[in-house]
Amino acid sequence: MFSLFIFASSAEPVVDFCVADFNYPVGPAGYPCKNSAKVTADDFVYSGLSVAGNMSNVFKLGLSSAIDLTFPALNGLGIGMIRADIGVGGVVPLHSHRVSEIIYVVDGTVTAGFMGSDNKAYYKTVKKGDVMVVPPSLYHFSVNVGNTPATLIASWNSANPGIHTVTTSIAANNLPTDVIQKTTLLDATQIEKLKKMFGGK
């Protein structure tokens, strides 16, 4: 005679959804849940990716994201999306996330790729309909090499993947120029130029 006990895994959800409640601070597991009695169908629909982003910047890049901060219904679901509109000659600058990313080319032609931890570059020119995957934490980029604007849609396995952009990490901070020069081997004049462009001190 024996008894069979079945325990629910701690990874299994205990609620259907958890629309973010921004009245409370975010924690390691995301935001607290909005009262489900106040949740409506509108909470699960987001139109922020329907229009092109503003490309009038140094990178000729417009971004529109669907993450927990912009689309609260994603809170706790482990998914997120972004739309990238890249002008002719524009770029998605070298950056990284803490999660994996999959990129779909909606329109245009771009050279996209990433660098492995051994510094080997994996890159390819991709066009409309192509998909590329980027492993987590690796630096990656896209360059519009076509004659028309390009549009990419990317998805992450996180509702808030975080972003670490090389250029702004160097130039949008208050680290002294001489320290940046010593730690990156960049020329001081170039560092000062970038700091003026990106608001560093």
Side-chain angles (χ1 to χ4, degrees):
M1 179 73 66
F2 64 91
S3 297
L4 177 63
F5 295 93
I6 301 176
F7 297 94
S9 167
S10 61
E12 293 176 357
V14 295
V15 294
D16 292 333
F17 51 80
C18 181
V19 177
D21 185 342
F22 296 132
N23 290 311
Y24 302 94
V26 66
Y31 289 92
C33 306
K34 179 179 178 179
N35 185 341
S36 60
K38 297 180 180 180
V39 173
T40 71
D42 289 339
D43 286 298
F44 300 98
V45 179
Y46 180 67
S47 301
L49 304 187
S50 62
V51 295
N54 182 3
M55 294 179 282
S56 58
N57 53 67
V58 67
F59 295 121
K60 300 181 181 179
L61 172 66
L63 298 174
S64 304
S65 62
I67 59 176
D68 56 6
L69 293 173
T70 59
F71 189 10
L74 294 178
N75 183 51
L77 298 183
I79 53 174
M81 296 180 71
I82 193 167
R83 170 176 173 162
D85 294 285
I86 314 170
V88 176
V91 304
V92 178
L94 197 64
H95 67 286
S96 68
H97 308 286
R98 49 182 171 252
V99 295
S100 302
E101 178 175 346
I102 188 165
I103 304 166
Y104 173 70
V105 183
V106 179
D107 278 307
T109 304
V110 300
T111 296
F114 61 88
M115 268 66 74
S117 57
D118 59 357
N119 294 320
K120 180 178 179 180
Y122 300 85
Y123 64 97
K124 187 176 178 66
T125 297
V126 290
K127 59 187 185 304
K128 181 177 180 179
D130 288 340
V131 173
M132 173 176 273
V133 67
V134 179
S137 303
L138 299 182
Y139 283 113
H140 54 287
F141 65 91
S142 298
V143 180
N144 185 348
V145 295
N147 297 317
T148 60
T151 299
L152 312 178
I153 294 288
S155 296
W156 306 288
N157 57 323
S158 172
N160 196 325
I163 184 169
H164 196 199
T165 304
V166 173
T167 310
T168 52
S169 293
I170 291 173
N173 60 61
N174 61 348
L175 198 62
T177 296
D178 64 320
V179 175
I180 297 175
Q181 185 179 13
K182 291 174 182 176
T183 55
T184 65
L185 304 181
L186 292 174
D187 182 83
T189 303
Q190 184 63 37
I191 296 170
E192 292 292 344
K193 177 183 177 181
L194 290 171
K195 278 182 173 286
K196 289 179 180 179
M197 290 176 63
F198 294 100
K201 298 178 182 179

